[in-house]
Amino acid sequence: YLVPVVILIVGPATWVEKFPEARGTRQSPVDIVTSRASSGGSAPPLVWRYSVNHPRSVVNPGYCWRVDENGYDSELRGGPLGSDVYKLQQWHCHWGSVNGEGSEHTVDGRAFSGELHLVHWNTSKYNSFTEAAGQPDGLAVLGVLLMVGSKHDELDKVVRLLPYIQHKGDKVTFSEPLNPANLLPKRIAYWTYPGSLTTPPCTESVTWILFKEPVQVSAEQVRLNLCYYVNGKNV
Ligand SMILES: COc1ccc(N2C[C@H](O)c3cc(S(N)(=O)=O)sc3S2(=O)=O)cc1
Ligand SMILES: [Zn+2]
């Protein structure tokens, strides 16, 4: 007799059904093959400036956590961004369900324990984040690879709030001064490529800027991020 086999396909494999952009030609994340990366040549320096003393809220969007910038002033320019100025909209992280994996990008096939994304939109050309998010040069995301090492004090200002946002939709506001620039590595060398949002709607509107140097977070900070995951989902 035949055993009925039901194959439940969830996750990225089903995204194309609802989000046709996921079938595109510049989908992220990718594996960075370092031997094939060309040098940046005479690109201008990448520069950024962020607001520090404004209230921020951290929310559980259903995957990891996200900090919204609530429209406060900031600037990202230079590097591969031409003459356009971008503004920080939100930043969030991706962690795996097991330590040592969980980053979205890989480098020569190697995954990292997590990955921080600072999402910016092009204020020189567009009037809103939503409008920019649909344009090929609308968004610029700074990617920071996370590896287990020493405790990260700036990131800890968010990690210690995680017990208060254990479920999807939970949100907590904090007014402790925090400078997103302190989340970036000391060495600002990076890889850059034209890509997409890594989760639905997978829109091909992102100039990716992935820093080469990983940033260290403590094993306890990884554990705190992981402890709200069951099979990769926030509980
Ligand atoms: C209107 O179109 C929209 C555009 C963007 C979004 N977002 C949700 C996505 O999950 C998403 C994925 C991001 S990542 N991992 O940095 O590539 S950033 C981001 S989002 O919060 O901007 C929602 C609607
Ligand atoms: Zn992301």
Side-chain angles (χ1 to χ4, degrees), residues 179-192:
N179 186 352
N182 293 340
L183 303 171
L184 308 181
K186 294 277 179 292
R187 195 165 69 94
I188 62 169
Y190 58 84
W191 296 288
T192 181

Side-chain angles (χ1 to χ4, degrees), residues 63 66 90 92 94 104 117 119 129-130 133 139 141 196-201 203 206 208:
Y63 61 94
R66 186 186 77 224
Q90 52 98 330
H92 62 273
H94 300 263
E104 298 227 296
H117 290 159
V119 184
F129 168 77
T130 303
L139 303 182
V141 181
S196 73
L197 298 172
T198 61
T199 53
T203 321
V206 179
W208 275 99

Side-chain angles (χ1 to χ4, degrees), residues 128-140:
S128 71
F129 168 77
T130 303
E131 180 193 1
Q135 307 298 326
D137 59 353
L139 303 182

Side-chain angles (χ1 to χ4, degrees), residues 36-104:
R36 285 176 39 202
S38 56
S39 80
S42 56
L46 188 66
V47 291
W48 52 79
R49 175 184 55 77
Y50 297 119
S51 159
V52 178
N53 292 313
H54 72 259
R56 286 181 165 91
S57 46
V58 56
V59 63
N60 178 333
Y63 61 94
C64 197
W65 48 260
R66 186 186 77 224
V67 176
D68 294 317
E69 284 297 297
N70 301 322
Y72 281 88
D73 194 26
S74 62
E75 272 191 6
L76 173 70
R77 61 171 76 216
L81 303 176
S83 57
D84 292 344
V85 180
Y86 289 67
K87 182 177 180 180
L88 183 61
Q89 173 77 5
Q90 52 98 330
W91 38 285
H92 62 273
C93 75
H94 300 263
W95 301 81
S97 51
V98 176
N99 185 18
E101 59 182 50
S103 64
E104 298 227 296

